[in-house]
Amino acid sequence: MTEELVTLETAKLLKEKGFNEYCRDVINDKGLMMETVFRTSNDLPKSFYSRPTQSFARKWLRETKKLHVEVSYMYGDYWIYDILTIPNHDLVGLSDRPLVHYKSYEEALEAGIQEVLKLI
């Protein structure tokens, strides 16, 4: 089993919102993925983006932005996510977000991470 890396769209949003952590994996605007000698976003060429694992991106959002993506499995064999503030546990999110039934935990987590990034 391997951990899922964020998508190109999420990697771009992370860089835009200040993500500047060391990552082994990077991706460019053309979708070309590669490994590098652990560099931060600021050390990469303009069209390249750090590509952390979903769990690392989620942790960065918790620790730096005080927002938590919570993924839940639902009866009916689908997944959803919610966004909660830390430490108050207030539910936040885009008011016009439809309730989407995701086919996997990772798909729901990716969508939640993207929404958090759009909120900040």
Side-chain angles (χ1 to χ4, degrees), residues 25-94:
D25 297 284
V26 297
I27 189 168
N28 70 6
D29 280 330
K30 296 177 183 175
L32 177 65
M33 298 171 283
M34 62 190 76
E35 289 184 10
T36 184
V37 178
F38 290 88
R39 294 193 287 180
T40 65
S41 293
N42 291 347
D43 296 330
L44 295 171
K46 188 174 184 174
S47 63
F48 284 79
Y49 307 90
S50 294
R51 194 170 186 217
T53 62
Q54 289 178 332
S55 60
F56 189 79
R58 183 183 189 188
K59 181 177 181 179
W60 181 79
L61 290 168
R62 278 195 317 268
E63 292 180 358
T64 64
K65 307 300 182 185
K66 303 299 183 204
L67 292 167
H68 172 65
V69 179
E70 181 175 274
V71 177
S72 301
Y73 178 74
M74 305 301 290
Y75 180 77
D77 198 27
Y78 65 92
W79 300 85
I80 63 169
Y81 71 85
D82 287 307
I83 299 168
L84 303 165
T85 61
I86 297 171
N88 296 335
H89 202 263
D90 294 327
L91 189 61
V92 296
L94 299 173

